[in-house]
């Protein structure tokens, strides 16, 4: 998809729904020219609000649907706006389960305007079943107590720190936001179920023994909806190192309040490490990625300290204070 | 798909590859008129060998591709035969990942001959993400030490015994063979990964508190390729009762020899029960389905006894001696 981007926030009620847009704004800020919001939208990414004509005049190439809603559908209320964007001369990109191209009105408008539709959630290749065969190269996987706790940001941050230290490291996106940020990867939750671990094997192929594939986790093993995705990703990734992620202060699974408590860091790490050992008996925890954005600096320091005491592993808030301590641990255990 | 059927066995090297055909021959024998084999086929279901003209003359309506190969693809060598069947006036049915309708030569021949293509592996509806909410009604799920150990046959057998005793019981197929046998169900391994547990919830909806949904298991949690499918199925099924299945004498995972040992019955049961407790804290093991087809009667009796001693649960070979002992246990624990 061609930058610069205008980020479509729709009627997102909170930042969680706009996580694709906020990820792009965070990690490709130079390519994000503005935001487009419908009435009722409660999210503000701090970008200039633009209509489609102003965006086109400013050189914007693509309207990016920056929403990650439950079920990944295109809301009917968005459609007239998406059609108008095409008619104004913008391409469209989305990372939803429902394809832009499968909506007849959107497809017709794109054809009429000669614009391109990018459906980035949908793999453009087929995968084989997982083999379980160990591949050379080192792999780190981020896992979590829940969805949307910072697995992607932790993986991106770790990759940056490793690269800054001259280590060979590649970020492997497994969701639409990571794919939009990097232009690579596979939306692992959109693969046909039989091929989850096979797709994960494809994503981090055999590499130099000192190279790190840093793989973005998806879902959580103790989640009633998405654990299947997670388990296939764990088995196919064959991680040597696992970093467990959590949002400080979250007591219940998001969207499952009243039914499912967030597991402890200890339980979450243990269940993922145990699963990983099926395909890599040496898998182990190396750190904790804690999203402390809801806490004061003092409370955040306390939360990191408690997490370290609970697991005996370094804990970082990668966006707040960097992820160096986890990379220090990795270097100490695996070499630099 | 319209009976009677001619079962296409292709060049299947062993009965495992022809498990869809053998399942149909076992459970819908009245609808299976014959078999069609290519040179190199090493499977014989004991049905009359027929060419397409003879089958048509005998009233056959549908050629059923009875193969379940790794990856679920249509082999190029089959295509001229499938086209010839269409030209002879037969419909085609298959339960592969690759759609008959996606092969241009097969699709063109079906159009030209006015025949119907049935791609039964592909869900004809969309699913929502799993909710994790407990539904009324009782549920039994078969799980296994590996793929192709008897989970489907055990579930079918248990359903028959329950029905014979006047219990309300419904078999819920989760794979192409079960769908072909019953005309219902969902091929859970073909659902988009994000919706595995949601599809499983749909498959066994809320029911009378005394009704049993008997759900066919898929894959295995300790399998490097298919565990993601299994975990989503376990979470969405919310089983009250779990029956662990195994093929006596199988020491390694089929197709993964040299890499992965078959887990013990104890490990296999424990890992599935632990996973099930996320969405149903009362989940527990109630029996063992042991496929003893490789053993003499005396050795089979010994194997069943050893399995019972290992887990403290009744063990049956459902096809050899019935599944009554497991249903006895269910009645004792849950009422009749």
């Amino acid at each position: 998809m061609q930058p610069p981007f205008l980020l479509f926030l729709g009627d997102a009620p909170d930042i969680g729904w706009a996580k694709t847009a906020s990820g792009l704004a965070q990690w490709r800020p130079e390519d994000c020219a503005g935001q487009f919001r419908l009435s009722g939208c409660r999210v503000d990414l701090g970008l200039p609000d633009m209509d489609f004509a102003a965006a086109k005049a400013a050189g914007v190439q693509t309207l990016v649907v920056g929403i990650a809603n439950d079920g990944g559908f295109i809301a009917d209320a968005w459609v007239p706006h998406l059609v108008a964007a095409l008619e104004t001369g913008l391409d469209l990109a989305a990372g939803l389960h429902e394809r832009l191209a499968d909506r007849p009105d959107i497809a017709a408008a794109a054809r009429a305007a000669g614009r391109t539709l990018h459906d980035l959630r949908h793999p453009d290749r087929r995968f084989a079943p997982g083999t379980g065969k160990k591949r050379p190269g080192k792999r780190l996987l981020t896992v979590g107590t829940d969805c949307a706790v910072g697995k992607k940001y932790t993986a991106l941050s770790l990759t940056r720190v490793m690269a800054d230290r001259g280590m060979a490291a590649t970020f492997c996106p497994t969701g639409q936001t990571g794919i939009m940020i990097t232009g690579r990867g596979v939306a692992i939750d959109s693969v046909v179920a039989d091929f989850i671990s096979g797709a994960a094997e494809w994503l981090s192929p055999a590499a130099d023994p000192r190279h790190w594939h840093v793989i973005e986790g998806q879902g959580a093993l103790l989640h009633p909806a998405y654990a299947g995705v997670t388990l296939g990703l764990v088995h196919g990734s064959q991680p040597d190192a696992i970093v467990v992620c959590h949002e400080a202060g979250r007591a219940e699974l998001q969207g499952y309040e009243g039914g499912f408590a967030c597991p402890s860091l200890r339980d979450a790490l243990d269940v993922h490490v145990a699963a990983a050992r099926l395909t890599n008996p040496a898998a182990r925890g190396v750190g904790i990625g804690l999203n402390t954005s809801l806490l004061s600096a003092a409370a955040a320091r306390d939360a990191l300290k408690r997490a370290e005491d609970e697991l005996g592993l370094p804990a970082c808030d990668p966006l707040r204070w960097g992820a160096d301590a986890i990379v220090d641990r990795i270097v100490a255990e695996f070499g630099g």
Side-chain angles (χ1 to χ4, degrees), chain A residues 17-267:
Chain A
W17 283 63
K19 74 175 185 178
T20 297
S22 67
L24 269 178
Q26 175 89 33
W27 294 91
R28 286 182 78 171
E30 67 284 8
D31 290 326
C32 296
Q35 61 187 11
F36 180 90
R37 303 186 288 170
L38 299 177
S39 67
C41 179
R42 297 232 194 102
V43 176
D44 183 354
L45 297 176
L47 295 167
D49 284 291
M50 285 185 184
D51 64 20
F52 303 137
K56 182 74 184 169
V60 165
Q61 298 292 316
T62 305
L63 179 71
V64 178
V65 179
I67 308 295
N69 53 18
D70 282 348
F73 62 90
I74 299 168
D76 291 337
W78 305 345
V79 175
H81 301 283
L82 301 182
V83 167
L86 290 164
E87 292 171 347
T88 312
L90 303 179
D91 289 344
L92 281 189
L96 300 162
H97 280 303
E98 187 177 1
R99 288 177 170 85
L100 294 166
D102 284 347
R103 279 280 186 142
D105 32 11
I106 294 173
R111 268 196 308 276
R115 308 309 310 181
T116 303
L117 302 177
H118 300 278
D119 283 299
L120 298 169
R121 189 84 159 263
H122 295 275
D124 54 5
R125 68 184 310 289
R126 307 189 130 206
F127 300 99
T131 67
K133 292 202 180 106
K134 193 78 182 72
R135 311 184 288 288
K138 293 196 173 61
R139 287 168 189 81
L140 181 148
L141 176 67
T142 55
V143 303
T145 56
D146 190 5
C147 301
V149 291
K151 296 185 289 289
K152 176 176 59 260
Y153 286 7
T154 299
L156 280 161
S157 299
L158 288 166
T159 311
R160 271 199 186 167
V161 173
M162 289 175 157
D164 287 348
R165 296 189 186 189
M167 297 165 70
T170 306
F171 172 69
C172 300
T174 59
Q176 67 273 24
T177 308
I179 292 170
M180 286 185 183
I181 292 169
T182 64
R184 293 177 284 103
V186 59
I188 198 82
D189 62 6
S190 300
V191 169
V192 168
D194 243 4
F195 304 109
I196 307 171
S197 65
E201 291 183 359
W202 170 87
L203 182 66
S204 64
D208 182 88
R210 292 166 60 92
H211 176 275
W212 281 93
H213 281 109
V214 182
I215 303 157
E216 175 194 5
Q218 286 293 330
L221 277 183
L222 297 175
H223 192 289
Y226 306 121
V229 172
T230 310
L231 186 56
L233 178 60
V234 167
H235 285 167
S237 296
Q238 304 177 351
D240 304 280
I242 290 178
V243 173
V244 61
C245 301
H246 179 59
E247 184 184 50
R250 190 181 301 186
E252 299 184 282
L253 298 189
Q254 200 167 65
Y256 294 77
E257 291 81 0
F260 292 89
C262 258
S264 68
L265 281 170
R266 166 56 62 198
D267 286 347

